[in-house]
Amino acid sequence: SYMLNSSEYLQPHSSYLRLYGMPLTTVAAPNVSEAYLTHLAHVTRAKNSTPVLCLSWTPGGRRLLTGNQEGEFTLWDGITFGFELIMSAHDASFRCMAWSHNRNYLLTSDAGGNIKYWSPSIAPVKELDSHNNQPIHSLSFAPGDTKFVSCGDDATVRIFDWATTTQERVLEGHGWDVKCVQWHPRSSVICSGSKDNLVKLWDPRDGKTLSTLYGHKNTVTKVAWNDNGNWLLTASRDQLIKVYDIRAMKELCSLKGHNKEVTSIAWHPLYESVFASGGMDGTLLYWNVGPKGSDNPVARVPYAHDMAIWDLAWHPCGHMLATASNDRQTKFWARNRLGSTSGLPEEEDEASSEVLKDEMELGNHVGIVIGKRGATIISMQRATGTKMHVDQVRRVLQIEGTAKQIETVKKRVGALLNRVSNETRDGMHYGPG
């Protein structure tokens, strides 16, 4: 009787198969820490690669589809992470991809104002041009899949009929480029974010503005509805992420964890209070909001990528996260190995908090580490909490911080120098000296 009623232990006998199920069905209080994916499972990079701007899992999560700056689709196996296919999809750089709710069709857009329909086998179906040939940054389907919405650099939001590919309505009200748009998962409400710092809610039936949210002080880069239909997530170049409760039209919380612009956000498919965010400096953060949540990141991967994380996509089962970056890599993230504390907050003892000094040779790459107007070294100091100075005469980087901070800086700078060296060998050859 004890064994039968205990859900903590997996039963060895075949008669207990009926008790098996997904973790959510056997645990009374779900453990949201299962969603903090800080272990790097795999890194992929195609030949002659260019920055990866968007990605999406195919229906069922069997494969991962990515879109790059050359307008090419790349297909990766979601289990072995092996390369499967690369094909030309657009004449201009990819901007966005979105599946219909019934998973029967895929929409993609590019920097030339072109929208294409694709079947699940990635065969082209239809295409149309819109937004005065300006970049189309975001696409989203209506709950019934009969219509979809797009936004672009012509400062408009446009609604299309899916079957006839005809434009039904133009929503005008933003004062600058519209960077993101998403249709409510169940209601007739559209949310858009713009370079004019505003988040607007629209009624797609008459094209009027329902409400305007003034919470951000810089470009709104992403918006995302929670599947519960009540919470709206917004991210901005002001380094803040905000959660709004649309029922009361009020801000639930303002989350500060990124040291650079927030470039991507994605809600977890199973745990409604958990989401991931990516920053311009390559930082990947996990958050848990709501009544039992926190205003601080619950897990952090400081250098998930060397450059901006342009897109995030959770596997439909929620056990894996894929990230696309300007550093030309696509990475797969999974749960920590048993006993690992990677990415989780740590308690430091006195020995580990002792401030030390160290140096690192830079050779001919002094300018690369400093960056334009010191941007690179300033960003690195903020992210790591260290003090850094470049001695341009001796060509060394002087670092002041804890032993762990110094080790992190050395890894970061080493990866940067390796990438620069590889690109130099592959492209122009500067010669010695």
Side-chain angles (χ1 to χ4, degrees):
S1 173
Y2 168 76
M3 291 295 287
L4 188 64
N5 294 328
S6 172
S7 62
E8 294 183 34
Y9 304 99
L10 210 57
Q11 311 301 340
H13 195 272
S14 59
S15 65
Y16 292 104
L17 279 173
R18 60 189 175 81
L19 300 178
Y20 285 14
M22 292 293 286
L24 283 177
T25 63
T26 56
V27 180
N31 182 6
V32 294
S33 66
E34 294 175 357
Y36 308 153
L37 311 180
T38 53
H39 171 69
L40 178 59
H42 195 77
V43 182
T44 63
R45 181 169 173 171
K47 284 186 176 179
N48 305 319
S49 58
T50 57
V52 186
L53 300 178
C54 56
L55 45 72
S56 177
W57 292 93
T58 58
R62 179 68 179 78
R63 294 176 178 83
L64 182 76
L65 197 59
T66 65
N68 66 18
Q69 202 171 46
E70 296 296 318
E72 295 170 331
F73 270 135
T74 309
L75 205 58
W76 304 94
D77 190 294
I79 299 173
T80 64
F81 310 119
F83 168 81
E84 289 199 356
L85 173 74
I86 188 167
M87 61 176 280
S88 180
H90 285 273
D91 296 330
S93 170
F94 256 101
R95 278 297 179 266
C96 152
M97 55 178 72
W99 285 95
S100 59
H101 294 286
N102 61 19
R103 294 295 190 255
N104 285 341
Y105 286 95
L106 173 72
L107 281 178
T108 61
S109 67
D110 66 19
N114 182 250
I115 299 173
K116 288 191 178 183
Y117 291 27
W118 304 84
S119 69
S121 60
I122 318 301
V125 179
K126 293 180 182 177
E127 67 175 289
L128 63 115
D129 292 313
S130 184
H131 289 273
N132 303 319
N133 298 323
Q134 294 289 316
I136 299 174
H137 293 290
S138 189
L139 298 163
S140 180
F141 274 94
D145 290 336
T146 56
K147 304 183 191 308
F148 68 89
V149 64
S150 66
C151 69
D153 279 357
D154 61 348
T156 65
V157 175
R158 299 177 186 238
I159 300 171
F160 295 86
D161 182 81
W162 178 86
T164 62
T165 67
T166 54
Q167 181 176 294
E168 291 194 343
R169 190 163 279 109
V170 179
L171 310 182
E172 296 179 317
H174 281 294
W176 214 341
D177 307 348
V178 187
K179 295 297 185 183
C180 49
V181 69
Q182 194 170 33
W183 208 303
H184 191 281
R186 282 178 291 282
S187 301
S188 190
V189 178
I190 292 172
C191 177
S192 63
S194 169
K195 202 172 178 179
D196 61 7
N197 310 350
L198 302 180
V199 175
K200 285 183 177 287
L201 301 177
W202 308 83
D203 184 341
R205 293 165 293 192
D206 59 12
K208 293 181 180 177
T209 304
L210 297 172
S211 182
T212 303
L213 306 175
Y214 297 89
H216 290 289
K217 297 178 180 177
N218 208 325
T219 302
V220 180
T221 54
K222 295 287 178 182
V223 294
W225 291 103
N226 191 296
D227 198 47
N228 64 22
N230 300 325
W231 293 347
L232 174 65
L233 197 60
T234 64
S236 170
R237 294 187 67 179
D238 62 8
Q239 304 175 13
L240 295 178
I241 300 170
K242 291 181 181 285
V243 183
Y244 292 93
D245 190 328
I246 298 305
R247 293 167 295 183
M249 205 59 73
K250 71 173 185 179
E251 182 183 307
L252 283 182
C253 55
S254 183
L255 308 171
K256 175 84 170 102
H258 286 278
N259 296 312
K260 298 280 279 184
E261 301 97 297
V262 187
T263 51
S264 52
I265 49 176
W267 287 104
H268 192 275
L270 300 181
Y271 300 113
E272 72 168 16
S273 63
V274 175
F275 70 90
S277 65
M280 184 65 79
D281 57 356
T283 300
L284 175 63
L285 301 182
Y286 293 91
W287 307 81
N288 183 24
V289 295
K292 297 182 179 179
S294 166
D295 287 349
N296 296 314
V298 288
R300 177 189 295 267
V301 186
Y303 309 116
H305 284 276
D306 292 334
M307 301 171 80
I309 299 175
W310 291 130
D311 203 5
L312 305 169
W314 292 92
H315 189 280
C317 292
H319 71 293
M320 189 176 292
L321 179 74
T323 56
S325 171
N326 204 52
D327 65 6
R328 309 178 181 190
Q329 294 178 337
T330 303
K331 294 188 178 183
F332 297 86
W333 302 89
R335 287 177 62 186
N336 271 344
R337 303 268 172 86
L338 286 174
S340 170
T341 57
S342 172
L344 302 177
E346 295 182 0
E347 297 180 4
E348 293 189 352
D349 54 25
E350 291 185 10
S352 64
S353 61
E354 182 184 353
V355 177
L356 306 171
K357 293 183 180 180
D358 204 347
E359 292 184 349
M360 181 178 183
E361 293 187 11
L362 300 178
N364 296 328
H365 301 303
V366 170
I368 298 294
V369 174
I370 296 175
K372 188 176 181 181
R373 297 180 182 174
T376 304
I377 193 169
I378 291 171
S379 169
M380 217 175 292
Q381 285 182 107
R382 284 179 182 166
T384 59
T386 56
K387 292 182 180 178
M388 298 161 63
H389 173 71
V390 175
D391 187 329
Q392 298 190 40
V393 177
R394 296 169 52 219
R395 296 184 178 181
V396 296
L397 175 65
Q398 298 172 338
I399 314 164
E400 185 177 332
T402 65
K404 188 164 186 179
Q405 288 174 331
I406 291 173
E407 182 186 359
T408 303
V409 169
K410 286 187 173 182
K411 283 183 182 177
R412 174 74 167 172
V413 174
L416 178 64
L417 298 183
N418 286 338
R419 193 174 79 247
V420 171
S421 299
N422 291 338
E423 289 177 357
T424 303
R425 278 199 302 270
D426 294 342
M428 295 180 291
H429 181 65
Y430 295 106

